[in-house]
Amino acid sequence: MTTASSRGIRSVIKTGRAGRLARRALALLIGAAFVFPFYWTVVISLGRPGEFSDFPPVLLPHWDWSNWARAWHAAPWVRLFGNTVLIASSTVLLCLATSLLAGFAFGVLRFPGRKFLTMLVLAVLMMPGTVLIIPDYVLASDLHLLNTYWIQIIPWGASVFGIFLVRQFFLAIPQEILDAAALDGASRLRVLWSIGIPMVRPALVIIAVNVFLGSWNSFLWPVIMTSSSMDSSSTVQPVEVGLSTFASAEGTDFPGLAAAVTFTTLPVMAFFLVLQRQFIRGALSAAGGVRG
Amino acid sequence: MRYRIAAVASLAALSLSACAGGGTPATTTTAPAASGQELAVPTKPVTITFEEAMTIGTLKPAMEKLVSDFQAKYPNITVKLQGDPDYATMYTKEKAEVQAGNAPTMGQAYESWASYFQSGGALTPISELAGTDTPTEMSTFYKGVQKDLALGDGKTWMWPFNKSVLILFSNADMLKADGQAAPKTWDDYASVMKAVSKNGVTGSTIDPGSATAAAFGTQWFEILDKSNGGTLYDADGTPHLNDAGAVTALTYLKSLKDAGALATGKNYPGETALGAKKGAFDISSAAGYGFEKATVGGKFNLGISALPAGPAGPVNELTGTNIVVFKNASTDQKAAAWAFLKFITSPAEQAGWASTSGYLPVTAQALPLMQDFVAKNPYETAAVSELDTAFALPPHSWIFKCQGYEATAIQDVLDNGAAPTAALGTAQTACTAAKAQG
Amino acid sequence: MTATTTARPALATGGRRPRRRAPARDFRTTRWGWAYSAPAVLIFAAFVIVPTGYTFYVSLWKWNALNPAMSVYRGLGNYQRLFDATQPTFLSSLWHSLYFSGAMVVGGTALSLALALLLQRGGALLNASRVALFLPHATPMIATSMIWVWIFNPRFGLADWMLHSLHLPTSQWLQSSTSAMPAVIVYSLWHEVGFTTVVFLGGLAVLPNELSEAARMDGCSAWQEFWHITWHQLRPVTVFVVAITAITSLQAFTQFYQLSDGGPVYATTTLSYLVYQEAFVLSDTGYGAALAVVLFAVTVFFTLVRRRTATGADSALT
């Protein structure tokens, strides 16, 4: 990274003080534009009753927390959020394991039927998910998995993207490294564990981020696979489902929704902000890996 | 879960008591009800499930009150609510549950949904529960509600739940300032709408609905058609979507739109515009009063009146759902469900339910028990009286699709400027094809 | 890089050529490969592959989901219905899928490349902008799309207020057949470019710099340098971004469900949304299954086309 040269805009815009300034101003503007919807959501959530429909829009918060209070009491948010974290992180762990093993198999090992399996897994990516939900529901019902954490974890515990990213990293590792280890008598699992994992770590980071976000993004699946009893302390539903209760049948409590959106996404944002260096670095090196 | 319910149910193999609700004589067995035999309330522990969408605002406590009252009266029966965030999700869940063989004991259902479930043999008719196709309780319901409980075969398959009619909300201050009175006919309504549409105000904003869900805008169109003397669907479900009444109705909407007096939106846009003082009117469910009031937030006086009338007189349409009992429940569960249905439609419970939820009581006997609420909400008397005359679309499974075609035609005319005749012609063709598909 | 290019042909032939020393070949050649792939393959088999086979089967029937015994065999009847359907027509849905995916692939790739060039390296401020860009991607669509419905509101929304303040013509956004798809695309770009920008940033960060310096010495303009050197070197990353974006946008669903319900007048009814609408909401299971099979075929077709046209160090996902 340190040896890489400057290019792109930095050289497109003449590298002078003015150019640097213009570049920063533009970056600031774009960053602000991307964040603005979030800011506005917070403003709405802290607005006075009825204010959310004012036009021109109110752009400064009035620090009225009543919307937050109302939204907070509408659902067991802490429990729901805990469910989301549990489901997402379990899915990530499972997905990392399956991606690592299958990516290793597809990228390093040779066995009869490998090509067939590779194509089969690739085909999985092509099937529209919505049509599968009802057959999957019937299956889950037969397996007695409805209303459990399992049904929200296991089906998402394998990722085509993850498998192929790991495979890609393994393809990029000079063959000699793995072969040398094998020559020393290490078993395949041992080679995977002690040599493979460190070398594909960037891929694992980006898989973890993507699967976490994917899990956190799922909506239709948990709604169908679990039943809600919103005040029950035993609900296994994730927080996204709690959010959708605001999109009600007889009315829309928009400031309440804005409050709920704010306090449910804030922890994830905070988490991301704390770890953004790792996240972005993972994505960076994954892109490097993609180059092969 | 299924196992547990089954185990509980099999424990309760024999019912010993005569604790039937609604004052009807009880039988002493829970054997599958032959005709003429009402299912007796079980006395052994039994759990029933109810797929419902009363999960937000005042609806949730109202729903929970019904359940806790019921469980207080029948301590051996547990009612498990399976709440869903919205109606579309609820329908999907119910379909999935039936397909997986674990349908809930009861579920909320619109008429066309019930028709779909019945066509797949998934429902229990009321006669199996009550021993008769016309239980005595039915005669206490408003006439429009009574008519809404049968399916295409003429038999009773549903029991009323969250019923309402449409009413007209308005910004009373704005109308007063403009010297306008509450409109009595749809022609009046059009001229008032056009008169107040100035200075950034648009008379009203409606949600025309979408291909997958009707909305109040769709229902308004249906009401206009009928008040023009039209019939959108025959009793057997044959569509007449491009008949004169429908074209007149949609042309009426188009002229309002062209005059800048009508706009379209999504997610209760009329309520929002009204609350923002950018709209004068909103046609919405009487049950939406609480939400309208919250949106207005005391910024002006919220006017409430009955819908204007058309050439064919005043017309209103039922909104809300009924309850169906699914087939694969055990006899004890069915008996418990029947007790629940009768219980929640009893006058006392209806009074409490209606006062909290904003939905209308399905029986006039509830009104004397909710005088406080009626005094505070004077529109209630007028609204419930419309339950006698309000219509519902005929209960056939394809009507669900066809309402989507209606909504699409409205969108095409209001959003894209299409000609009403052409748009409705397309809808008619599509609906006819949907009926042929069954 | 060299390692990969030598490794790949060997792998592609299934490793039958004995190029390596014996122990190494033994290490790689093993039937245990099945066991390594098994966890992932079993999950896919149970929840995707078998249900997919079931979907193919169902697509040949007038399927009664509530009572399969009452289903009627139709053969290719459901596929014929694709072309008879008017509300919406099959071709219009296919076109909307291509419209959306095309805009996401071209717009998304160009935008994220431009943003990556703008935001590469630099100090805290540029880093903050990178984080800002990624934030939408880190929030669930279900939440942010609810907010965007409000932003797109033609009467009270931020979007039109901003256009109005800038004296630009305002739009009906989701309330008109012509602007609804662009509105969904604007939202989707907002939600997705953070990820692809970061991928491009990663690609930029590892580019060797000799070529650029040589180019600059040769008197190339900055633009020429970008066009001939940087862009060219970024090609594998671009291919990766295009592949990912194409597949996810062909399958995109949540934003259509939340923002536009496929309307107005089916203007945002993509194949993916239509599958949901027919199979899920309207209970036309057999017809929905036929649509799903067609969408599957379309996705496979585009993937194959791209595989054919892509060469060299392309990612496995292509």
Side-chain angles (χ1 to χ4, degrees), chain A residues 69-86:
Chain A
R70 193 174 61 252
W72 184 256
H73 292 298
W77 294 108
V78 175
R79 165 95 194 179
L80 295 175
F81 196 81
N83 287 343
T84 297
V85 171
L86 176 71

Side-chain angles (χ1 to χ4, degrees), chain A residues 53 137 223 226 228 231 249-250, chain B residues 64 83 87 89 93 97 268 359:
Chain A
S53 54
Y137 179 92
V223 162
T226 63
S228 86
D231 17 38
E250 296 289 345
Chain B
E64 284 164 353
Y87 282 90
T89 306
K93 279 278 269 283
E97 285 160 351
Y268 306 92
Y359 281 104

Side-chain angles (χ1 to χ4, degrees), chain B residues 98 103 116-124 157 324-328, chain C residues 66:
Chain B
V98 169
Y116 174 67
F117 288 128
Q118 191 255 339
S119 72
L123 294 188
T124 305
W157 292 88
V324 292
V325 177
F326 288 96
K327 183 128 207 150
N328 63 351
Chain C
L66 299 176

Side-chain angles (χ1 to χ4, degrees), chain A residues 50 52-54 74 134 137-138 141 144 146 223-224 226-231 244-252, chain B residues 2-3 56 60 64 81-83 85-87 89 92-93 96-97 99-100 102 216 268 272 275-276 285 291 295 299 359:
Chain A
F52 68 100
S53 54
D54 282 357
I134 298 256
Y137 179 92
V138 175
S141 169
H144 297 282
L146 291 178
V223 162
I224 301 299
T226 63
S227 289
S228 86
S229 36
M230 291 310 284
D231 17 38
S244 70
T245 58
F246 283 94
S248 85
E250 296 289 345
T252 295
Chain B
R2 235 192 312 166
Y3 281 161
I56 178 168
K60 198 169 108 172
E64 284 164 353
L81 295 178
Q82 298 180 174
D86 55 65
Y87 282 90
T89 306
T92 306
K93 279 278 269 283
E97 285 160 351
Q99 286 176 48
N102 64 344
F216 293 134
Y268 306 92
T272 310
S285 162
F291 293 102
T295 309
K299 284 187 280 193
Y359 281 104

Side-chain angles (χ1 to χ4, degrees), chain B residues 158-207:
Chain B
M158 301 176 275
W159 203 249
F161 182 46
N162 59 329
K163 304 312 278 189
S164 183
V165 292
L166 298 185
I167 54 176
L168 183 63
F169 294 97
S170 58
N171 182 333
D173 295 355
M174 188 188 284
L175 295 186
K176 204 169 166 189
D178 211 57
Q180 303 286 350
K184 295 280 178 254
T185 68
W186 288 117
D187 287 340
D188 286 352
Y189 184 66
S191 47
V192 178
M193 288 262 281
K194 287 174 188 163
V196 297
S197 296
K198 59 198 171 200
N199 307 328
V201 172
T202 303
S204 168
T205 307
I206 60 164
D207 182 349

Side-chain angles (χ1 to χ4, degrees), chain C residues 5-316:
Chain C
T5 39
T6 55
R8 191 152 310 125
L11 287 167
T13 56
R16 255 163 284 156
R17 253 176 295 159
R19 294 172 61 246
R20 305 256 158 213
R21 287 161 301 177
R25 214 185 68 218
D26 284 343
F27 161 68
R28 285 169 186 275
T29 309
T30 169
R31 289 183 186 278
W32 282 100
W34 281 88
Y36 283 83
S37 345
V41 170
L42 284 179
I43 289 174
F44 287 140
F47 291 99
V48 183
I49 298 169
V50 171
T52 299
Y54 169 83
T55 303
F56 274 79
Y57 175 74
V58 162
S59 75
L60 302 175
W61 295 73
K62 178 177 166 49
W63 192 255
N64 188 322
L66 299 176
N67 192 346
M70 290 164 71
S71 304
V72 184
Y73 185 72
R74 279 281 179 77
L76 295 176
N78 285 322
Y79 294 89
Q80 263 161 16
R81 271 180 71 199
L82 289 179
F83 297 97
D84 301 336
T86 54
Q87 292 287 78
T89 64
F90 167 72
L91 284 179
S92 75
S93 312
L94 179 62
W95 159 240
H96 295 145
S97 281
L98 298 181
Y99 178 1
F100 178 74
S101 306
M104 289 302 291
V105 166
V106 175
T109 308
L111 187 60
S112 42
L113 179 57
L115 289 170
L117 290 171
L118 176 70
L119 298 177
Q120 61 173 334
R121 270 176 303 281
L125 196 141
L126 293 184
N127 187 45
S129 293
R130 282 203 286 263
V131 172
L133 226 63
F134 197 84
L135 265 189
H137 190 67
T139 53
M141 268 198 179
I142 195 79
T144 48
S145 56
M146 288 176 188
I147 303 296
W148 276 80
V149 168
W150 200 256
I151 290 178
F152 283 136
N153 185 316
R155 305 190 56 212
F156 316 105
L158 274 179
D160 269 348
W161 172 74
M162 282 186 167
L163 291 178
H164 186 77
S165 313
L166 298 169
H167 300 286
L168 291 169
T170 57
S171 168
Q172 287 293 305
W173 299 111
L174 298 165
Q175 295 304 325
S176 144
S177 285
T178 43
S179 55
M181 186 62 95
V184 176
I185 291 169
V186 166
Y187 167 77
S188 305
L189 287 174
W190 175 78
H191 195 266
E192 300 300 327
V193 293
F195 176 68
T196 42
T197 301
V198 168
V199 172
F200 271 120
L201 280 169
L204 284 171
V206 295
L207 287 191
N209 73 10
E210 295 80 11
L211 279 175
S212 304
E213 269 164 21
R216 224 165 306 145
M217 280 185 191
D218 287 350
C220 283
S221 73
W223 174 249
Q224 282 172 321
E225 179 208 331
F226 165 75
W227 188 245
H228 293 294
I229 314 285
T230 315
W231 168 240
H232 187 74
Q233 287 178 305
L234 275 178
R235 193 158 175 275
V237 181
T238 314
V239 168
F240 172 78
V241 167
V242 166
I244 281 279
T245 313
I247 290 178
T248 48
S249 14
L250 274 175
Q251 313 260 333
F253 166 73
T254 307
Q255 54 268 64
F256 295 102
Y257 171 81
Q258 277 283 322
L259 290 177
S260 63
D261 289 323
V265 201
Y266 308 110
T268 54
T269 298
T270 59
L271 272 185
S272 177
Y273 186 83
L274 189 60
V275 168
Y276 160 81
Q277 176 175 315
E278 295 294 340
F280 228 70
V281 186
L282 302 179
S283 319
D284 205 342
T285 314
Y287 184 55
L291 281 167
V293 169
V294 170
L295 176 54
F296 178 73
V298 169
T299 317
V300 170
F301 174 77
F302 278 98
T303 311
L304 290 180
V305 165
R306 223 184 21 249
R307 260 174 100 83
R308 274 288 156 91
T309 53
T311 50
D314 294 346
S315 112

